[in-house]
Amino acid sequence: MAKTTYYVPIGPIHPALKEPIRVEAEVEGEKIVKVNVKRGFAHRGIEYMGMKRNAIQTLYLSERICGICSISHPYAFVIGSEKALGIEAPPRAQYIRTIIAELERIHSHILWLGVIAHEIGFDPLLFWTWKGREKVLDVLEAITGNRINYSMYMIGGVRRDLKESHIKALRDMITYYWEFTEHMKEVFLSDPVYKARTRGVAQLSKEMALKLNVVGPTARAAGLRMDIRQDIPYDAYADMDIKAVVPQDIVGEAGGDAYDITMVRLYEIEQSLDIIEFCLDNLPEGKILAIPNYVALLNKIKKTEGEAIGAHEAPRGEVIHYFKYDGKRDGPAVWKVIAPSYNNINSWAPLLLGAEVADIPVVVAYIDPCMCCNDRVAVVKDSSGRILDYSYLHKKAVEKTRKLEKELGVRK
């Protein structure tokens, strides 16, 4: 007798989804036997708009690529632009940038912890963690004027300095979060219900993580020692001995499941506290902008040719911005952005295959996805300049995706 399967579509518009994406699952009972992930429902044309504006306007446009990690894209933007333009930010500005980036990592990781608790039906834990997150948002607001979209970074430095009141608030926050994080570790890592819902769920092996090119906590939970701050240190990170947080250094082995990624994010919060404390203890004196006059900065950009890549370890993983300045305009001639979700979403299909329907929210939340970070439209031309037919490009992309899925066992 043939087994009966049912088709379960989720998205692109769904109460559980904050951003549009589509997951098509074929289920046999409660088990997922076939899955297809479709993205490409949110096109904003940010890269194209950025190449029509001056560099300062584009910098703050980049802050809108991601709503939660709003400092991550500007950080990669200023690093890449400074390399391409031959500008070096003052040491004090580099340390302030690092502090702001780690504050964002703390609030992003606590947000994720609340989300994953919500996805397994543990809403009191969601409310408690997000209440604790208010402390870091208050500090960010005191320093930058905003809880999100801080407009803090500038090519060649930062726009605002740290005052003594800010430094005191940061030290008070560090004390608060050492205690709060210990409490979170106790709740998340010891609670039998949380363990039961995350152990063995969304289990990503080291080999599969390498094949799928996942990044950030998703890669580190699988045991890969990957971290831009460790591998290509920049700003204040270059003055520290940063080590990637991996489960095998905490419990002896890496399982790569939702429990392990929880552990990685919790310990990364403590790592961020150490980094902020180091920056405060060693904060250099001096100016915060290499070129304080914005008109002078734009004039320099108009006269400078160069290309470079800027990379930053965002809370979700590495953010990469490619730039080319042609010396003819005051903005980038070419600007290309790669966000971590672009890589990490590739893990959904193999992780969902064989899982239960109830595990779909956990697998989706596992990577802390951001849809608006990674959707884009590509126009491809041949050597004669003719735009290639979209149906041909789509066919080739589908063939490549199906081949990878077959190798991973997602499709028979």
Side-chain angles (χ1 to χ4, degrees):
M1 183 176 176
K3 292 182 179 179
T4 303
T5 61
Y6 295 90
Y7 172 72
V8 181
I10 301 169
I13 308 301
H14 189 276
L17 297 172
K18 296 358 178 234
E19 297 174 276
I21 196 164
R22 186 171 179 84
V23 177
E24 298 172 348
E26 191 173 321
V27 300
E28 185 182 295
E30 286 292 315
K31 187 178 179 182
I32 300 170
V33 294
K34 190 181 290 186
V35 63
N36 190 22
V37 178
K38 293 182 178 179
R39 47 184 163 180
F41 296 95
H43 298 297
R44 297 180 293 166
I46 283 184
E47 292 170 336
Y48 180 81
M49 288 190 288
M51 291 184 277
K52 302 296 181 182
R53 289 162 167 73
N54 70 47
I56 296 175
Q57 292 171 324
T58 304
L59 168 60
Y60 298 112
L61 183 64
S62 75
E63 198 162 21
R64 274 74 185 167
I65 292 175
C66 179
I68 297 301
C69 303
S70 58
I71 212 64
S72 300
H73 289 282
Y75 208 163
F77 189 104
V78 296
I79 290 172
S81 294
E82 286 164 5
K83 287 179 183 177
L85 299 168
I87 299 171
E88 184 176 357
R92 185 176 180 88
Q94 293 181 21
Y95 271 63
I96 293 172
R97 283 179 185 173
T98 303
I99 289 170
I100 300 298
E102 293 307 314
L103 289 174
E104 183 169 83
R105 194 179 316 279
I106 291 169
H107 98 67
S108 180
H109 280 358
I110 296 176
L111 181 145
W112 181 88
L113 289 163
V115 168
I116 196 70
H118 168 70
E119 298 296 3
I120 67 171
F122 205 157
D123 277 355
L125 193 51
L126 160 68
F127 302 137
W128 177 70
T129 51
W130 280 28
K131 180 178 181 292
R133 177 172 167 261
E134 288 297 303
K135 187 77 169 177
V136 65
L137 292 176
D138 288 343
V139 172
L140 280 165
E141 186 176 12
I143 295 171
T144 70
N146 281 322
R147 288 161 60 90
I148 207 75
N149 290 344
Y150 320 112
S151 301
M152 184 72 173
Y153 291 5
M154 175 55 64
I155 298 170
V158 291
R159 294 179 62 228
R160 297 180 181 89
D161 203 350
L162 286 184
K163 301 175 183 177
E164 283 302 319
S165 59
H166 298 150
I167 293 172
K168 182 182 184 304
L170 283 164
R171 292 196 184 278
D172 290 344
M173 183 210 74
I174 290 169
T175 302
Y176 171 82
Y177 276 121
W178 274 116
E179 183 178 344
F180 185 71
T181 306
E182 280 301 317
H183 198 174
M184 284 197 294
K185 283 160 64 177
E186 181 182 344
V187 172
F188 278 95
L189 303 181
S190 301
D191 183 79
V193 174
Y194 189 81
K195 274 187 178 181
R197 290 291 285 113
T198 55
R199 271 294 186 203
V201 177
Q203 195 151 20
L204 192 66
S205 68
K206 184 184 286 189
E207 294 71 27
M208 189 179 289
L210 284 168
K211 195 159 194 173
L212 294 169
N213 293 318
V214 297
V215 295
T218 307
R220 292 191 283 276
L224 297 177
R225 298 182 186 275
M226 293 171 53
D227 193 314
I228 293 287
R229 299 170 299 168
Q230 165 195 275
D231 303 329
I232 318 170
Y234 49 96
D235 285 358
Y237 299 119
D239 297 334
M240 293 176 255
D241 185 23
I242 304 291
K243 299 292 185 188
V245 176
V246 289
Q248 58 264 40
D249 290 345
I250 303 167
V251 294
E253 61 179 354
D257 56 17
Y259 184 85
D260 276 359
I261 206 168
T262 303
M263 187 191 310
V264 166
R265 285 190 164 99
L266 283 164
Y267 279 84
E268 283 189 359
I269 292 172
E270 294 186 334
Q271 184 183 50
S272 293
L273 296 174
D274 282 333
I275 291 170
I276 294 169
E277 194 160 29
F278 175 91
C279 289
L280 292 176
D281 291 342
N282 298 276
L283 187 64
E285 297 294 334
K287 60 184 183 179
I288 59 171
L289 277 172
I291 306 175
N293 187 302
Y294 293 170
V295 175
L297 173 60
L298 292 176
N299 285 335
K300 176 178 175 58
I301 294 171
K302 280 183 182 178
K303 301 172 184 176
T304 307
E305 289 185 55
E307 64 179 328
I309 288 175
H312 166 60
E313 185 68 31
R316 292 178 170 101
E318 58 194 51
V319 168
I320 298 172
H321 285 224
Y322 166 77
F323 294 92
K324 185 174 183 179
Y325 289 92
D326 59 8
K328 298 174 183 177
R329 66 186 88 180
D330 55 9
V334 180
W335 177 39
K336 189 66 182 174
V337 178
I338 300 176
S341 293
Y342 199 70
N343 291 39
N344 291 339
I345 286 175
N346 293 330
S347 67
W348 278 358
L351 290 177
L352 286 169
L353 190 68
E356 295 188 2
V357 173
D359 292 332
I360 293 177
V362 178
V363 173
V364 170
Y366 175 79
I367 66 167
D368 193 10
C370 176
M371 307 311 146
C372 63
C373 271
N374 71 84
D375 280 321
R376 74 272 321 276
V377 173
V379 177
V380 181
K381 299 179 181 180
D382 63 15
S383 57
S384 67
R386 179 175 60 92
I387 296 176
L388 294 178
D389 179 65
Y390 170 76
S391 60
Y392 169 79
L393 295 172
H394 179 70
K395 179 183 176 183
K396 290 297 181 185
V398 169
E399 287 175 358
K400 186 175 181 181
T401 302
R402 295 291 178 262
K403 183 180 177 183
L404 178 62
E405 288 178 339
K406 192 173 182 180
E407 289 176 7
L408 295 171
V410 177
R411 286 180 180 271
K412 303 299 183 186

